[in-house]
Amino acid sequence: MRLGLVGNPNVGKSLIFHQLTGIGVEVSNYPGTTVDLMKGNLCFKHEKLELVDLPGIYSLEGNSPEEVMVRTFIQEKEAEVLIAVLDATHLERNLYLFLQLAEFGKPLIAVLNIMDEAAKQGIEIDTAKLSSILGVEVIPVAAVTGMNVAEIIPAALFRARIPAVQVPYDHHIEAAIRSIQSVHPATRLQALQALQGIGTDPETNSLVEALGPEIEEMHRMTIVQIIAGNRHHRAEAIADLVSSDRGDAHPDSLDSLLTSRRSGPIILVAILLSILVSVFLIGSFIEEFLVGVFEMLVISPFSALPLDPLFRQLGLSLLLALQAGLGIALPFIFTFYFFISILEDSGYLTRAAFLADRAMHRLGMHGQGLVPLILGFGCNVPAIMGIRLLRTRRERVIASFLVSMVPCSARTVIVAGIVAVFIGLPAALSIYAITLGLVILTGLVLSRITPGEQYGMILELAPLRVPRIGNILSKSWYRIREFLFIAMPLLILASLVLGLLQYAGFFSLFQQWITPWSEAVLGLPGYATTALLFGILRKEMALETLVILAGTADLPSVMSLAQIYIFAVVSVLFIPCISTIGVLAKVVGARITLLVSLYTLILGLLIGAIINLVIV
C-alpha cells in the first residue's frame, strides 16, 4: 500500500517522513519529470507500506513542475491514501491547499503539525471541530518532539475517508460547471480544472473558451482569481471557526535583528565564516587522524606484503580510494551537514535565504541557492546534493555550474599548500578572487541563456527554535549515507581504473605526449599536467602526485613561481572530482554533467593559458 505526504513547504513533512521511515529511503525522479520524490518503506502490523514525500507546494492550480507533478500523482491514483500535513501556526493558508485536495475525492487524513509552536504563540485550535468541518480525522502533532507521530499510520490505514468539506463558489462559476456537465460528461473536478486553465480534456477546455470571457467581463477579474478568492474566503472562515488567539505571544526581537537589512547581512556573514572556519579546522584535524591511522594500520602493512605487481597496484588503488573517501565523508561532509542541520532546525536557514535573495536573483537563482554554494566551500559533493532543494530545473542547472566552480576544502589544500607557502598569502587570496569573479560572471551569463521561467520566491520564515541533537545527528547521518552509497563506489571504480592505467604505463606515455603542448600553452612541465589528471580522482591528489612526479616537495627547486601559481589556478578551476561528477549525474543528468565538465575543463585551461601569456 502506498501513502502520499502532501503539504506546503516548511510544514514538517520531511521530518515526519524520516521519523516514520527511518532507513530504506530512496530519492528518484517522478517519471517524465525532473522533480525528486523521496520514498521510504515501513512495516505496520506485518504489512509493508510505502510512504512518498511529495514536494512542498502552496496550491494545485499552478503550472510549476512541482505543482504539475503533485497534481498528476493524485489524479493518476499513485497513492491509496493522502496524508495532508498542515501548519497549525498558519492554518488559513494551509487550508487553501487542503480544500483543493478535497476536490479530488481521495481518502485523506489531516496532520495538524507544529502544535507546540502554535501553543507558544497563543494559538488554540479545536481539532474536533476542525475534523467535523473537514470530514476527515485531524491528528494534532508536534513532529520535533515526536508527539502523536505514531498515530499517523494507523489513522491513514483504518480511518482515512473522502473529505466532506466543499467550497461554495460564485454562482457564475457554479453555473459554468453545470453548463459544462450538461453538454459534456465531465466531473466537477474536470470542469473546475478546465475553468482554471489546467484541464487535460480538449472538449471541456473548448467549452470554457466560450463561457470564460463572459464571466470575466462581469467580475472584472479572471476566472482563476475568482476561484482562488472563493477558496481563500472558505479557508479563512474555517480557520476563524476553529482557532482562537489568546494574544499572549510576544514579538520576537531576535527575529527582527536577524532579518534586518542592516544587522542581518553582518550576522549572516559572521555565521557562515564561523561555520567555514570550524568545518575546515575540525575536518582537517579528523582527516589527518583518519588518514594517519589508515596509513599505519592498513596501507603500510599491505605495501609490505610480497604480492604480484598488478595485484599490489590494484590493491593499493583500492585502499587509497577508501582512504580518500573516508577522508572526505566523515571529516568534512558530516561536519558541514551537522552545522547546516543546526541552522536548518533552528529556523535560521530560511532567514539566510531571505537576506541573500536579491543578490542570488541576479545569478539566476533565489535565496535558497545560497545554501549549496556555502556547502561547496566544504565539499562539492554535499553541495550538489543540496541543489535538489531548489525549486526549478533552471535553478538546478545554473547551480550545478556554479557549485562545481566553488573552491572546496580539497582545492584549498592546493592553494594553501603551495601558493601560500611558496609565493605568499596575497597570491593565494588572488586565486579566490579570480574564482569568485568567474563564478559571478558565469552566473550572470547563465541567468540570461538558461531556458525556463524564473519564478519569484515565496518563502515562509520557519519559527526560531532550539535544535534537538537527536534530529541533527539523524539528519546528518542520512545525508552522509547518500554520499557513501553514491560517491564512494564511483571513487573506488575510478581509482581502480587509474591504477590499471598506471600499471600499464599509460601515464608515462601520456607525459611524453603532453609535454610539448603543456609547455607551449600553460608553461607547465609535462609531469605537472599529468598530475592534474589525478585531481579528477580527488582534488588534493593533484598536489600529492605533483610532488611524487617532481621527485621533491621543494617545488621551487624544479618549478618557477609562475608555474606553481598557474598549476594551482588550473587545479582549482579544472574538471570536478569523480565524486562530484557522479553526484551531478544523479541530480541533473548526464547531459548537464558533461556540459559542466567540458566548461570547467575549457575554463581552467583558458585561464591558465591567459595567466601564462601575461606573466611570461
Side-chain angles (χ1 to χ4, degrees):
M1 185 175 183
R2 180 181 287 179
L3 312 173
L5 281 171
V6 189
N8 287 177
N10 299 314
V11 296
K13 284 191 304 89
S14 296
L15 181 55
I16 292 172
F17 173 81
H18 288 300
Q19 288 180 340
L20 292 175
T21 57
I23 60 174
V25 177
E26 174 190 350
V27 180
S28 60
N29 291 134
Y30 187 74
T33 74
T34 59
V35 181
D36 283 336
L37 289 178
M38 296 190 71
K39 302 176 183 178
N41 298 319
L42 64 150
C43 187
F44 182 80
K45 291 188 176 181
H46 307 292
E47 182 179 357
K48 183 180 178 181
L49 307 173
E50 183 181 53
L51 186 64
V52 181
D53 183 13
L54 295 164
I57 55 171
Y58 289 103
S59 78
L60 287 163
E61 62 199 19
N63 289 309
S64 73
E66 289 79 10
E67 290 169 319
V68 172
M69 189 281 285
V70 175
R71 192 164 64 235
T72 303
F73 182 92
I74 298 172
Q75 287 182 160
E76 297 296 328
K77 301 180 180 179
E78 300 267 356
E80 286 84 350
V81 175
L82 298 177
I83 302 171
V85 183
L86 312 177
D87 179 356
T89 63
H90 299 90
L91 183 59
E92 179 185 332
R93 190 188 63 227
N94 284 248
L95 284 173
Y96 181 84
L97 176 61
F98 184 90
L99 292 173
Q100 294 178 73
L101 288 172
E103 292 172 340
F104 283 82
K106 309 294 182 185
L108 268 169
I109 66 165
V111 173
L112 192 59
N113 192 25
I114 321 184
M115 290 294 288
D116 52 335
E117 290 294 333
K120 290 179 182 178
Q121 296 178 23
I123 299 172
E124 294 180 348
I125 298 177
D126 187 339
T127 54
K129 190 172 184 179
L130 179 61
S131 176
S132 175
I133 294 174
L134 299 182
V136 299
E137 180 160 352
V138 177
I139 305 173
V141 167
V144 172
T145 63
M147 185 191 85
N148 291 341
V149 172
E151 297 182 19
I152 295 175
I153 297 302
L157 291 179
F158 306 117
R159 300 190 294 277
R161 55 186 185 267
I162 297 173
V165 66
Q166 289 187 346
V167 178
Y169 289 108
D170 177 88
H171 67 281
H172 291 114
I173 299 297
E174 293 289 354
I177 293 173
R178 290 192 297 270
S179 297
I180 292 171
Q181 291 178 318
S182 66
V183 177
H184 182 66
T187 65
R188 179 180 176 85
L189 177 63
Q190 289 173 330
L192 269 172
Q193 288 184 338
L195 286 166
Q196 294 173 96
I198 56 174
T200 56
D201 180 34
E203 292 189 36
T204 308
N205 292 340
S206 64
L207 291 172
V208 170
E209 290 178 5
L211 296 169
E214 183 179 353
I215 297 174
E216 293 179 350
E217 177 65 25
M218 286 186 289
H219 284 265
R220 302 287 177 163
M221 64 176 66
T222 66
I223 292 179
V224 171
Q225 291 171 329
I226 299 170
I227 292 176
N230 296 155
R231 286 176 179 154
H232 279 298
H233 289 314
R234 181 62 170 144
E236 181 183 18
I238 296 173
D240 288 343
L241 285 172
V242 302
S243 61
S244 59
D245 192 340
R246 297 194 309 266
D248 53 0
H250 301 287
D252 195 336
S253 57
L254 177 60
D255 211 7
S256 301
L257 186 68
L258 294 176
T259 56
S260 167
R261 288 293 180 186
R262 292 184 177 180
S263 59
I266 298 173
I267 295 173
L268 173 61
V269 171
I271 289 175
L272 296 182
L273 286 178
S274 299
I275 289 177
L276 288 174
V277 171
S278 299
V279 169
F280 184 74
L281 293 177
I282 296 172
S284 298
F285 175 77
I286 299 175
E287 180 186 30
E288 185 177 352
F289 173 77
L290 288 176
V291 169
V293 170
F294 202 87
E295 180 74 33
M296 180 177 63
L297 298 181
V298 181
I299 294 180
S300 294
F302 177 82
S303 300
L305 294 175
L307 298 174
D308 179 83
L310 175 59
F311 290 113
R312 178 189 298 276
Q313 182 65 57
L314 291 177
L316 191 60
S317 298
L318 173 62
L319 294 178
L320 287 173
L322 291 173
Q323 184 187 47
L326 292 175
I328 295 174
L330 293 179
F332 291 105
I333 300 181
F334 186 83
T335 306
F336 217 104
Y337 268 143
F338 181 82
F339 284 114
I340 290 299
S341 296
I342 291 176
L343 295 184
E344 195 172 43
D345 281 17
S346 68
Y348 181 73
L349 214 53
T350 54
R351 287 152 182 82
F354 166 76
L355 291 170
D357 184 58
R358 183 178 299 177
M360 296 301 298
H361 198 83
R362 296 179 180 178
L363 301 182
M365 297 184 289
H366 297 300
Q368 296 98 320
L370 178 68
V371 177
L373 288 177
I374 295 169
L375 285 172
F377 284 98
C379 179
N380 287 168
V381 173
I384 295 298
M385 293 177 181
I387 70 175
R388 287 190 307 219
L389 301 174
L390 301 181
R391 181 182 177 190
T392 65
R393 167 76 174 174
R394 180 179 185 271
E395 289 180 87
R396 291 192 287 271
V397 168
I398 294 174
S400 65
F401 279 86
L402 303 188
V403 168
S404 298
M405 297 170 63
V406 171
C408 62
S409 57
R411 289 162 167 156
T412 299
V413 170
I414 298 175
V415 177
I418 59 175
V419 178
V421 170
F422 297 128
I423 306 177
L425 185 59
L429 293 177
S430 71
I431 295 179
Y432 285 100
I434 290 172
T435 305
L436 179 61
L438 290 172
V439 167
I440 294 174
L441 182 61
T442 301
L444 292 174
V445 173
L446 288 175
S447 67
R448 287 162 174 76
I449 66 173
T450 306
E453 289 188 62
Q454 184 165 357
Y455 297 94
M457 184 177 75
I458 301 176
L459 181 65
E460 175 188 346
L461 295 182
L464 291 172
R465 58 168 67 96
V466 178
R468 293 179 175 267
I469 189 65
N471 291 338
I472 292 169
L473 291 174
S474 175
K475 212 178 265 189
S476 302
W477 167 245
Y478 169 76
R479 287 164 168 168
I480 194 177
R481 190 183 60 181
E482 192 170 2
F483 165 82
L484 293 175
F485 291 141
I486 295 176
M488 278 295 289
L490 291 168
L491 187 63
I492 292 171
L493 179 61
S495 183
L496 290 174
V497 171
L498 288 175
L500 279 173
L501 293 174
Q502 189 173 7
Y503 175 79
F506 170 79
F507 287 116
S508 298
L509 294 174
F510 178 79
Q511 187 172 320
Q512 295 174 12
W513 174 79
I514 201 67
T515 296
W517 182 90
S518 176
E519 291 177 346
V521 177
L522 298 176
L524 296 177
Y527 60 80
T529 305
T530 304
L532 290 172
L533 292 180
F534 282 86
I536 300 175
L537 180 61
R538 190 182 172 193
K539 281 300 174 181
E540 72 269 31
M541 285 189 70
L543 174 57
E544 297 166 4
T545 306
L546 177 64
V547 171
I548 294 171
L549 295 179
T552 177
D554 184 19
L555 293 178
S557 65
V558 293
M559 295 173 66
S560 68
L561 296 183
Q563 288 176 325
I564 292 174
Y565 186 84
I566 292 171
F567 176 84
V569 170
V570 177
S571 297
V572 169
L573 297 174
F574 204 56
I575 302 175
C577 67
I578 190 67
S579 302
T580 302
I581 291 173
V583 177
L584 264 175
K586 176 78 173 177
V587 174
V588 294
R591 188 175 67 87
I592 298 300
T593 302
L594 179 61
L595 289 175
V596 170
S597 300
L598 289 175
Y599 176 72
T600 51
L601 170 64
I602 294 170
L603 186 65
L605 296 178
L606 178 62
I607 298 301
I610 292 173
I611 294 174
N612 180 44
L613 286 174
V614 172
I615 294 178
V616 175

